[in-house]
């Protein structure tokens, strides 16, 4: 792999994204608008908004980057550009890192805007630093990119790729402890939630919400999230076959 | 004849079908070789094997002395896929610049290549807004921009108007004169006359490997379509 090719690939993906104004607007504005909505839904209980809003802030980048990446990568696979890319000096890792970096940057802007709005305008209050929340949001976005890259291999159309979102994300949302305490779920569901990366992402965010300085649990959670992202990227690389039937 | 590409006993299966049942051929260096044959004859499969993206059952393909698809070849071989494979949400120039960076060539080459394929005037347009013929040329430009030693072009002139086709072939001949090895597929037989050598392929087997003049002589006809027909008839007679 080479830095020149990785950088050019990142720039190419960002340029493709920049050309699509409507997608940019949706990526940037939807989380902020939904958080605003949530704030006024919970108008009478700002303490609950502090808990739920914070988690939404950190999980949005995962969802939107998962969607954007799986569709973008599927296009790359079905349009023939992937096959062609693999005949050029581009290394698989250049392509994966290109996607990872480009969409992590997009996620950072998205999370920055949503966090600024939440803390300044919506009165979000957390014990820990907003910068930590931002950092966790970007880590979750990287997880979304990695899982999206991997799952795009199992979709043959954009319809399928989009349907992976509820299939992959919703169960994790239900089981991560946000909607119902994990200790009160059926035993086998507690076990299932322990192997889902979003559980750790949510726990890390909650830790920052409750403690003024980063806790060991938070660092461990972050390590799990990044570890799963790395694993998904490695598995994703294995699905990029140079030779096909 | 010095050969740049050597294919021996290549067997390729797609699904249950044996697309190439043991094909052998060699492609001359510094020349334009036309790979001609009807649709479904195995042209694309052979080309994919040469650039190293085709899963092969057995046999070997070597390009410039190295096994096809090896890492060292990837900046020496350019490939044009049959259906245009460029980023439709980028401009022609942005596509070309990206490919140029992959191969480490400069911006000067980008502008030169745009002119070579007659897209100088459309360089700023998004690929998705181009006509089919323009899109095919944008895709071709991405293969040409790095000036690779070997060019594998799958139907580069399909859908182009006669003037452009003439210009493109002249460009291919010029590249060959400068030492590039070109393998160009087509199902339009009259394009055979522009090649230095011709490989006729049918049902995964090489039917003829000759110069255009040699082919005309051996079949006793001026017309390439007719020559192809006579060859196949002879072959079928031989089989019975």
């Amino acid at each position: 792999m080479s830095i020149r090719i990785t950088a050019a690939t990142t720039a190419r993906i960002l340029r493709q994204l920049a050309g699509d104004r409507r997608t940019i607007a949706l990526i940037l504005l939807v989380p902020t608008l939904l958080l605003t909505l949530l704030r006024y839904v919970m108008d009478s209980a700002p303490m609950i908004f502090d808990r739920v809003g914070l988690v939404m802030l950190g999980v949005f980048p995962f969802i939107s980057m998962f969607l954007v990446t799986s569709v973008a990568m599927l296009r790359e696979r079905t349009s023939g550009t992937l096959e062609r890319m693999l005949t050029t000096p581009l290394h698989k890792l250049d392509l994966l890192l290109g996607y990872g970096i480009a969409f992590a940057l997009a996620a950072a802007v998205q999370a920055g805007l949503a966090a600024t709005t939440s803390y300044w305008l919506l009165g979000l209050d957390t014990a820990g630093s907003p910068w930590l929340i931002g950092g966790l949001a970007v880590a979750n976005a990287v997880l979304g990119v990695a899982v999206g890259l991997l799952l795009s291999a199992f979709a043959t159309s954009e319809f399928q790729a989009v349907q992976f979102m509820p299939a992959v994300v919703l169960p994790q949302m239900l089981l991560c402890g946000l909607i119902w305490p994990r200790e009160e779920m059926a035993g086998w569901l507690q076990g299932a939630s322990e192997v889902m990366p979003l559980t750790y992402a949510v726990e890390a965010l909650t830790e920052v919400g409750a403690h003024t300085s980063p806790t060991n649990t938070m660092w461990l959670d972050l390590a799990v999230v990044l570890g799963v992202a790395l694993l998904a990227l490695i598995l994703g690389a294995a699905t990029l076959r140079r030779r096909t039937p | 004849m010095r050969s740049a590409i050597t294919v021996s006993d290549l067997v390729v299966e797609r699904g249950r079908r044996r697309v190439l049942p043991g094909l052998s051929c060699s492609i001359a260096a510094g020349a334009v070789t036309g790979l001609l044959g009807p649709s479904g004859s195995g042209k694309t499969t052979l080309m994919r094997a040469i650039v190293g993206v085709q899963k092969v059952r057995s046999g070997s393909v070597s390009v410039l002395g190295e096994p096809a698809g090896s890492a060292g070849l990837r900046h020496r071989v350019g490939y044009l896929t049959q259906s245009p494979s460029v980023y439709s949400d980028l401009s022609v120039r942005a596509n070309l610049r990206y490919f140029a960076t992959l191969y480490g060539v400069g911006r000067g080459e980008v502008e030169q290549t745009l002119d070579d394929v007659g897209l100088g005037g459309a360089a700023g347009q998004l690929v998705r807004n181009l006509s089919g013929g323009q899109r095919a040329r944008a895709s071709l430009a991405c293969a040409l921009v790095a000036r690779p030693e070997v060019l594998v072009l799958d139907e580069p002139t399909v859908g182009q108007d006669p003037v452009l086709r003439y210009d493109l072939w002249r460009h291919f001949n010029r590249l060959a004169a400068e030492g590039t090895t070109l393998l160009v597929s087509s199902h339009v037989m009259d394009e055979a006359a522009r090649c230095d050598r011709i490989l006729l392929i049918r049902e995964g087997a090489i039917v003829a490997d000759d110069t255009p003049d040699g082919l005309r002589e051996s079949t006793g006809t001026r017309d390439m379509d007719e020559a192809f027909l006579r060859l196949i008839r002879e072959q079928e007679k031989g089989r019975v």
Side-chain angles (χ1 to χ4, degrees):
Chain A
M1 61 163 296
S2 93
I3 292 172
R4 168 176 54 87
I5 293 179
T6 305
T9 305
T10 308
R12 185 264 292 172
I13 295 162
L14 284 175
R15 191 168 291 127
Q16 286 178 287
L17 192 61
D20 188 349
R21 299 264 163 82
R22 202 170 300 174
T23 298
I24 294 249
L26 286 167
I27 288 179
L28 292 186
L29 298 181
V30 167
T32 302
L33 290 174
L34 282 176
L35 279 161
T36 310
L37 190 74
L38 192 67
R39 160 69 184 78
Y40 290 101
V41 166
M42 300 176 168
D43 202 24
S44 59
M47 298 285 284
I48 299 186
F49 176 69
D50 283 345
R51 196 171 72 82
V52 181
L54 165 72
V55 171
M56 297 308 279
L57 190 59
V59 171
F60 263 124
F62 169 78
I63 299 175
S64 44
M65 293 310 137
F66 170 81
L67 272 176
V68 172
T69 311
S70 51
V71 171
M73 195 63 204
L74 182 76
R75 276 193 199 157
E76 191 105 53
R77 287 175 197 273
T78 52
S79 68
T81 48
L82 178 65
E83 171 168 313
R84 186 177 197 176
M85 283 296 130
L86 294 177
T87 67
T88 72
L90 170 123
H91 195 279
K92 287 175 192 177
L93 213 56
D94 292 314
L95 187 68
L96 293 172
L97 283 179
Y99 270 102
I101 297 170
F103 290 144
L105 284 173
V109 178
Q110 178 192 50
L113 189 68
T116 309
T117 314
S118 302
Y119 280 98
W120 280 14
L121 299 176
L122 304 177
L124 181 70
D125 190 20
T126 55
S129 152
W131 290 102
L132 266 180
I133 301 292
L136 290 175
V138 172
N140 294 342
V142 171
L143 177 68
V145 171
V147 176
L149 283 172
L150 174 61
L151 284 184
S152 72
F154 303 100
T156 53
S157 71
E158 292 179 9
F159 282 136
Q160 293 176 9
V162 170
Q163 290 306 322
F164 273 128
M165 203 282 277
V168 170
V169 178
L170 280 187
Q172 300 200 57
M173 289 293 270
L174 287 174
L175 297 185
C176 71
L178 182 66
I179 293 180
W180 202 258
R182 285 174 53 208
E183 305 78 59
E184 294 177 25
M185 294 176 193
W188 59 278
L189 279 184
Q190 290 184 32
S193 82
E194 269 173 30
V195 294
M196 294 180 167
L198 217 53
T199 304
Y200 298 89
V202 169
E203 192 179 61
L205 290 160
T206 315
E207 287 287 299
V208 180
H211 302 94
T212 45
S213 53
T215 61
N216 283 339
T217 313
M218 188 215 82
W219 290 120
L220 206 64
D221 290 334
L222 178 62
V224 172
V225 167
L226 292 177
V228 174
L230 189 66
L231 184 69
L233 274 181
I234 291 168
L235 291 174
T239 68
L240 300 178
R241 288 291 162 83
R242 188 164 272 118
R243 283 184 188 270
T244 50
Chain B
M1 178 183 97
R2 203 163 56 83
S3 71
I5 303 170
T6 313
V7 179
S8 12
D9 300 319
L10 182 66
V11 178
V12 174
E13 285 169 354
R14 304 185 82 173
R16 285 267 173 92
R17 210 164 75 85
R18 207 160 247 232
V19 183
L20 301 179
L23 184 144
S24 298
C25 66
S26 63
I27 314 287
V32 182
T33 302
L35 180 61
L36 294 123
S39 178
S41 56
K43 300 191 294 290
T44 298
T45 305
L46 176 59
M47 291 184 135
R48 292 184 75 232
I50 289 170
V51 297
V53 296
Q54 176 68 52
K55 231 179 223 167
V56 304
R57 173 123 197 140
S58 63
S60 72
V61 182
S62 89
V63 180
L64 303 171
E66 289 186 59
S70 58
L73 283 176
R74 276 178 219 134
H75 62 271
R76 302 173 74 190
V77 178
Y79 174 43
L80 172 73
T81 50
Q82 192 170 8
S83 52
S85 48
V86 276
Y87 296 100
S88 61
D89 46 1
L90 290 179
S91 70
V92 179
R93 186 177 276 121
N95 267 292
L96 229 57
R97 283 190 177 168
Y98 178 52
F99 276 88
T101 318
L102 293 182
Y103 290 95
V105 296
R107 300 228 155 149
E109 300 286 340
V110 169
E111 299 307 314
Q112 178 61 48
T113 310
L114 282 168
D115 285 339
D116 288 343
V117 299
L119 281 177
Q125 285 187 48
L126 291 184
V127 169
R128 68 159 166 259
N129 296 335
L130 300 177
S131 72
Q134 286 176 315
R135 206 173 302 172
R137 275 180 284 141
S139 193
L140 174 63
C142 292
L144 297 177
V145 70
R147 311 275 148 129
E149 293 161 63
V150 174
L151 274 167
V152 179
L153 309 176
D154 202 350
E155 309 220 339
T157 57
V158 85
Q160 305 297 345
D161 74 54
V163 179
L164 273 165
R165 250 169 56 185
Y166 177 82
D167 288 346
L168 287 176
W169 275 103
R170 215 176 46 174
H171 187 63
F172 298 157
N173 292 135
R174 199 166 49 225
L175 286 174
E178 290 165 7
T180 308
T181 302
L182 291 97
L183 179 65
V184 182
S185 77
S186 175
H187 58 250
V188 186
M189 297 301 159
D190 62 2
E191 293 197 320
R194 305 295 309 260
C195 302
D196 300 311
R197 291 197 67 85
I198 298 169
L199 281 177
L200 280 181
I201 180 171
R202 184 167 184 262
E203 290 171 0
I206 302 288
V207 182
D209 177 359
D210 209 339
T211 60
D213 283 336
L215 208 60
R216 287 192 191 100
E217 235 164 76
S218 66
T219 54
T221 170
R222 303 286 316 156
D223 180 69
M224 278 296 156
D225 252 332
E226 185 61 31
F228 189 56
L229 255 158
R230 286 189 190 178
L231 274 168
I232 287 164
R233 289 217 183 99
E234 267 169 44
Q235 196 197 23
E236 277 172 357
K237 247 185 259 161
R239 211 184 272 173
V240 173

